[in-house]
Each structure stands twice: as C-alpha cells, then as structure tokens.
mmCIF file of all heavy atoms in Angstrom:
data_model
loop_
_atom_site.group_PDB
_atom_site.id
_atom_site.type_symbol
_atom_site.label_atom_id
_atom_site.label_comp_id
_atom_site.label_asym_id
_atom_site.label_seq_id
_atom_site.Cartn_x
_atom_site.Cartn_y
_atom_site.Cartn_z
ATOM 1 N N SER R 21 9.478 -30.389 11.190
ATOM 2 C CA SER R 21 8.972 -30.170 9.834
ATOM 3 C C SER R 21 7.874 -29.117 9.784
ATOM 4 O O SER R 21 7.565 -28.576 8.724
ATOM 5 C CB SER R 21 8.441 -31.491 9.256
ATOM 6 O OG SER R 21 7.416 -32.025 10.105
ATOM 7 N N GLU R 22 7.259 -28.797 10.932
ATOM 8 C CA GLU R 22 6.211 -27.783 11.003
ATOM 9 C C GLU R 22 6.731 -26.455 11.557
ATOM 10 O O GLU R 22 5.951 -25.607 11.989
ATOM 11 C CB GLU R 22 5.049 -28.292 11.874
ATOM 12 C CG GLU R 22 4.372 -29.530 11.296
ATOM 13 C CD GLU R 22 3.227 -30.006 12.163
ATOM 14 O OE1 GLU R 22 3.025 -29.408 13.260
ATOM 15 O OE2 GLU R 22 2.529 -30.962 11.764
ATOM 16 N N ASN R 23 8.041 -26.294 11.559
ATOM 17 C CA ASN R 23 8.719 -25.075 12.025
ATOM 18 C C ASN R 23 8.449 -24.767 13.494
ATOM 19 O O ASN R 23 8.424 -23.610 13.911
ATOM 20 C CB ASN R 23 8.314 -23.866 11.171
ATOM 21 C CG ASN R 23 8.864 -23.934 9.767
ATOM 22 O OD1 ASN R 23 9.927 -24.520 9.545
ATOM 23 N ND2 ASN R 23 8.143 -23.355 8.818
ATOM 24 N N LYS R 24 8.284 -25.821 14.280
ATOM 25 C CA LYS R 24 8.160 -25.644 15.722
ATOM 26 C C LYS R 24 9.500 -25.949 16.373
ATOM 27 O O LYS R 24 10.224 -26.854 15.956
ATOM 28 C CB LYS R 24 7.083 -26.573 16.284
ATOM 29 C CG LYS R 24 5.680 -26.204 15.812
ATOM 30 C CD LYS R 24 4.645 -27.126 16.455
ATOM 31 C CE LYS R 24 3.226 -26.740 16.006
ATOM 32 N NZ LYS R 24 2.186 -27.619 16.600
ATOM 33 N N THR R 25 9.824 -25.140 17.397
ATOM 34 C CA THR R 25 11.117 -25.275 18.058
ATOM 35 C C THR R 25 11.194 -26.597 18.821
ATOM 36 O O THR R 25 10.345 -26.905 19.667
ATOM 37 C CB THR R 25 11.366 -24.104 19.017
ATOM 38 O OG1 THR R 25 11.274 -22.869 18.284
ATOM 39 C CG2 THR R 25 12.722 -24.206 19.667
ATOM 40 N N VAL R 26 12.227 -27.370 18.499
ATOM 41 C CA VAL R 26 12.472 -28.644 19.191
ATOM 42 C C VAL R 26 13.488 -28.440 20.303
ATOM 43 O O VAL R 26 13.308 -28.901 21.426
ATOM 44 C CB VAL R 26 12.959 -29.711 18.192
ATOM 45 C CG1 VAL R 26 13.307 -30.999 18.924
ATOM 46 C CG2 VAL R 26 11.911 -29.963 17.125
ATOM 47 N N SER R 27 14.572 -27.715 19.972
ATOM 48 C CA SER R 27 15.603 -27.439 20.979
ATOM 49 C C SER R 27 16.350 -26.185 20.565
ATOM 50 O O SER R 27 16.253 -25.722 19.424
ATOM 51 C CB SER R 27 16.576 -28.609 21.102
ATOM 52 O OG SER R 27 17.264 -28.823 19.871
ATOM 53 N N SER R 28 17.110 -25.647 21.501
ATOM 54 C CA SER R 28 17.888 -24.447 21.228
ATOM 55 C C SER R 28 19.197 -24.498 21.984
ATOM 56 O O SER R 28 19.304 -25.197 23.006
ATOM 57 C CB SER R 28 17.103 -23.192 21.622
ATOM 58 O OG SER R 28 16.803 -23.200 23.018
ATOM 59 N N ASN R 29 20.170 -23.750 21.489
ATOM 60 C CA ASN R 29 21.484 -23.689 22.116
ATOM 61 C C ASN R 29 21.838 -22.222 22.303
ATOM 62 O O ASN R 29 22.196 -21.526 21.358
ATOM 63 C CB ASN R 29 22.529 -24.391 21.243
ATOM 64 C CG ASN R 29 23.934 -24.252 21.818
ATOM 65 O OD1 ASN R 29 24.103 -23.973 22.997
ATOM 66 N ND2 ASN R 29 24.933 -24.444 20.963
ATOM 67 N N LEU R 30 21.699 -21.728 23.539
ATOM 68 C CA LEU R 30 21.965 -20.315 23.847
ATOM 69 C C LEU R 30 23.203 -20.147 24.705
ATOM 70 O O LEU R 30 23.418 -19.085 25.303
ATOM 71 C CB LEU R 30 20.772 -19.704 24.581
ATOM 72 C CG LEU R 30 19.442 -19.668 23.807
ATOM 73 C CD1 LEU R 30 18.318 -19.209 24.723
ATOM 74 C CD2 LEU R 30 19.558 -18.754 22.611
ATOM 75 N N GLY R 31 24.034 -21.169 24.754
ATOM 76 C CA GLY R 31 25.190 -21.133 25.648
ATOM 77 C C GLY R 31 26.303 -20.208 25.198
ATOM 78 O O GLY R 31 27.167 -19.870 26.009
ATOM 79 N N ARG R 32 26.283 -19.777 23.940
ATOM 80 C CA ARG R 32 27.386 -18.959 23.440
ATOM 81 C C ARG R 32 26.993 -17.511 23.175
ATOM 82 O O ARG R 32 27.664 -16.811 22.435
ATOM 83 C CB ARG R 32 27.927 -19.579 22.144
ATOM 84 C CG ARG R 32 28.509 -20.976 22.330
ATOM 85 C CD ARG R 32 29.734 -20.930 23.233
ATOM 86 N NE ARG R 32 30.776 -20.121 22.651
ATOM 87 C CZ ARG R 32 31.685 -20.581 21.800
ATOM 88 N NH1 ARG R 32 31.675 -21.854 21.451
ATOM 89 N NH2 ARG R 32 32.609 -19.780 21.310
ATOM 90 N N ILE R 33 25.881 -17.087 23.786
ATOM 91 C CA ILE R 33 25.463 -15.689 23.628
ATOM 92 C C ILE R 33 24.676 -15.256 24.852
ATOM 93 O O ILE R 33 23.960 -16.062 25.467
ATOM 94 C CB ILE R 33 24.617 -15.514 22.348
ATOM 95 C CG1 ILE R 33 24.504 -14.037 21.987
ATOM 96 C CG2 ILE R 33 23.231 -16.144 22.513
ATOM 97 C CD1 ILE R 33 23.969 -13.800 20.594
ATOM 98 N N ALA R 34 24.842 -13.974 25.241
ATOM 99 C CA ALA R 34 24.159 -13.454 26.421
ATOM 100 C C ALA R 34 23.083 -12.435 26.064
ATOM 101 O O ALA R 34 22.252 -12.095 26.902
ATOM 102 C CB ALA R 34 25.171 -12.820 27.375
ATOM 103 N N ALA R 35 23.093 -11.948 24.841
ATOM 104 C CA ALA R 35 22.166 -10.879 24.455
ATOM 105 C C ALA R 35 20.790 -11.396 24.093
ATOM 106 O O ALA R 35 19.856 -10.612 23.944
ATOM 107 C CB ALA R 35 22.747 -10.097 23.271
ATOM 108 N N VAL R 36 20.616 -12.729 23.974
ATOM 109 C CA VAL R 36 19.349 -13.312 23.555
ATOM 110 C C VAL R 36 18.939 -14.368 24.584
ATOM 111 O O VAL R 36 19.772 -15.182 25.020
ATOM 112 C CB VAL R 36 19.456 -13.949 22.157
ATOM 113 C CG1 VAL R 36 18.120 -14.567 21.753
ATOM 114 C CG2 VAL R 36 19.894 -12.915 21.127
ATOM 115 N N ASP R 37 17.659 -14.365 24.957
ATOM 116 C CA ASP R 37 17.163 -15.385 25.878
ATOM 117 C C ASP R 37 16.042 -16.170 25.211
ATOM 118 O O ASP R 37 15.674 -15.920 24.057
ATOM 119 C CB ASP R 37 16.688 -14.760 27.194
ATOM 120 C CG ASP R 37 15.628 -13.680 26.977
ATOM 121 O OD1 ASP R 37 14.854 -13.793 25.984
ATOM 122 O OD2 ASP R 37 15.574 -12.717 27.771
ATOM 123 N N GLU R 38 15.499 -17.134 25.942
ATOM 124 C CA GLU R 38 14.469 -18.024 25.399
ATOM 125 C C GLU R 38 13.231 -17.263 24.924
ATOM 126 O O GLU R 38 12.576 -17.648 23.949
ATOM 127 C CB GLU R 38 14.058 -19.043 26.475
ATOM 128 C CG GLU R 38 15.123 -20.055 26.836
ATOM 129 C CD GLU R 38 15.282 -21.120 25.769
ATOM 130 O OE1 GLU R 38 14.446 -21.174 24.849
ATOM 131 O OE2 GLU R 38 16.258 -21.894 25.834
ATOM 132 N N ASN R 39 12.897 -16.156 25.613
ATOM 133 C CA ASN R 39 11.690 -15.408 25.258
ATOM 134 C C ASN R 39 11.800 -14.697 23.904
ATOM 135 O O ASN R 39 10.795 -14.332 23.302
ATOM 136 C CB ASN R 39 11.388 -14.367 26.338
ATOM 137 C CG ASN R 39 11.078 -15.022 27.685
ATOM 138 O OD1 ASN R 39 10.515 -16.122 27.732
ATOM 139 N ND2 ASN R 39 11.473 -14.361 28.774
ATOM 140 N N GLU R 40 13.037 -14.503 23.456
ATOM 141 C CA GLU R 40 13.242 -13.790 22.196
ATOM 142 C C GLU R 40 13.441 -14.720 21.009
ATOM 143 O O GLU R 40 13.513 -14.263 19.860
ATOM 144 C CB GLU R 40 14.469 -12.864 22.312
ATOM 145 C CG GLU R 40 14.300 -11.771 23.359
ATOM 146 C CD GLU R 40 15.584 -10.992 23.597
ATOM 147 O OE1 GLU R 40 16.586 -11.606 23.996
ATOM 148 O OE2 GLU R 40 15.575 -9.765 23.359
ATOM 149 N N LEU R 41 13.525 -16.005 21.282
ATOM 150 C CA LEU R 41 13.764 -16.951 20.197
ATOM 151 C C LEU R 41 12.648 -16.931 19.155
ATOM 152 O O LEU R 41 12.902 -17.090 17.961
ATOM 153 C CB LEU R 41 13.901 -18.368 20.761
ATOM 154 C CG LEU R 41 15.241 -18.724 21.400
ATOM 155 C CD1 LEU R 41 15.217 -20.158 21.909
ATOM 156 C CD2 LEU R 41 16.371 -18.528 20.399
ATOM 157 N N GLU R 42 11.423 -16.742 19.622
ATOM 158 C CA GLU R 42 10.293 -16.770 18.690
ATOM 159 C C GLU R 42 10.423 -15.693 17.611
ATOM 160 O O GLU R 42 10.125 -15.938 16.437
ATOM 161 C CB GLU R 42 8.986 -16.579 19.466
ATOM 162 C CG GLU R 42 7.746 -16.686 18.567
ATOM 163 C CD GLU R 42 6.454 -16.543 19.358
ATOM 164 O OE1 GLU R 42 6.518 -16.422 20.598
ATOM 165 O OE2 GLU R 42 5.379 -16.548 18.727
ATOM 166 N N PHE R 43 10.889 -14.507 18.013
ATOM 167 C CA PHE R 43 11.071 -13.439 17.039
ATOM 168 C C PHE R 43 12.074 -13.859 15.970
ATOM 169 O O PHE R 43 11.841 -13.671 14.767
ATOM 170 C CB PHE R 43 11.545 -12.168 17.736
ATOM 171 C CG PHE R 43 12.026 -11.116 16.772
ATOM 172 C CD1 PHE R 43 11.131 -10.296 16.108
ATOM 173 C CD2 PHE R 43 13.391 -10.975 16.500
ATOM 174 C CE1 PHE R 43 11.579 -9.334 15.207
ATOM 175 C CE2 PHE R 43 13.838 -10.031 15.596
ATOM 176 C CZ PHE R 43 12.936 -9.204 14.957
ATOM 177 N N PHE R 44 13.207 -14.401 16.397
ATOM 178 C CA PHE R 44 14.251 -14.796 15.445
ATOM 179 C C PHE R 44 13.755 -15.886 14.505
ATOM 180 O O PHE R 44 14.003 -15.852 13.293
ATOM 181 C CB PHE R 44 15.499 -15.263 16.203
ATOM 182 C CG PHE R 44 16.286 -14.136 16.824
ATOM 183 C CD1 PHE R 44 15.989 -13.678 18.093
ATOM 184 C CD2 PHE R 44 17.315 -13.540 16.125
ATOM 185 C CE1 PHE R 44 16.716 -12.646 18.659
ATOM 186 C CE2 PHE R 44 18.056 -12.501 16.681
ATOM 187 C CZ PHE R 44 17.747 -12.040 17.953
ATOM 188 N N VAL R 45 13.058 -16.864 15.052
ATOM 189 C CA VAL R 45 12.556 -17.968 14.229
ATOM 190 C C VAL R 45 11.533 -17.455 13.216
ATOM 191 O O VAL R 45 11.578 -17.817 12.034
ATOM 192 C CB VAL R 45 11.936 -19.073 15.124
ATOM 193 C CG1 VAL R 45 11.246 -20.130 14.261
ATOM 194 C CG2 VAL R 45 13.008 -19.721 15.981
ATOM 195 N N ASN R 46 10.619 -16.603 13.676
ATOM 196 C CA ASN R 46 9.601 -16.058 12.765
ATOM 197 C C ASN R 46 10.237 -15.186 11.680
ATOM 198 O O ASN R 46 9.780 -15.183 10.534
ATOM 199 C CB ASN R 46 8.577 -15.244 13.551
ATOM 200 C CG ASN R 46 7.712 -16.108 14.443
ATOM 201 O OD1 ASN R 46 7.562 -17.314 14.190
ATOM 202 N ND2 ASN R 46 7.147 -15.531 15.490
ATOM 203 N N GLU R 47 11.274 -14.459 12.036
ATOM 204 C CA GLU R 47 11.950 -13.603 11.070
ATOM 205 C C GLU R 47 12.553 -14.428 9.938
ATOM 206 O O GLU R 47 12.443 -14.076 8.759
ATOM 207 C CB GLU R 47 13.054 -12.790 11.771
ATOM 208 C CG GLU R 47 13.805 -11.816 10.882
ATOM 209 C CD GLU R 47 12.967 -10.641 10.431
ATOM 210 O OE1 GLU R 47 11.999 -10.294 11.149
ATOM 211 O OE2 GLU R 47 13.279 -10.065 9.368
ATOM 212 N N VAL R 48 13.170 -15.541 10.298
ATOM 213 C CA VAL R 48 13.794 -16.405 9.286
ATOM 214 C C VAL R 48 12.739 -17.151 8.485
ATOM 215 O O VAL R 48 12.829 -17.264 7.252
ATOM 216 C CB VAL R 48 14.783 -17.382 9.948
ATOM 217 C CG1 VAL R 48 15.315 -18.383 8.909
ATOM 218 C CG2 VAL R 48 15.925 -16.631 10.588
ATOM 219 N N CYS R 49 11.717 -17.658 9.164
ATOM 220 C CA CYS R 49 10.678 -18.423 8.476
ATOM 221 C C CYS R 49 9.879 -17.554 7.498
ATOM 222 O O CYS R 49 9.289 -18.085 6.541
ATOM 223 C CB CYS R 49 9.737 -19.059 9.494
ATOM 224 S SG CYS R 49 10.507 -20.389 10.468
#
C-alpha cells in the first residue's frame, strides 16, 4: 500500500534485472 516492492517476477525477460526495477516502478508511480 506504500508502493514498496514486495516481490517481482523477472523470469520472462532478460533485458531487465533487479537493479532496474526501481526505475520502472518510479516511472509508473
């Protein structure tokens, strides 16, 4: 509810890793 990452599923893509998730989340938020 506070827009903090609880879990992620990166098994179906190779171009994005855990370090880049923050950018994507911030972009959407």
Side-chain angles (χ1 to χ4, degrees):
S21 58
E22 297 180 356
N23 290 331
K24 293 183 179 180
T25 303
V26 176
S27 62
S28 61
N29 176 20
L30 298 172
R32 297 296 298 273
I33 195 167
V36 179
D37 56 30
E38 292 285 350
N39 297 328
E40 297 172 300
L41 282 180
E42 184 178 357
F43 168 81
F44 286 88
V45 172
N46 291 337
E47 182 69 26
V48 174
C49 291

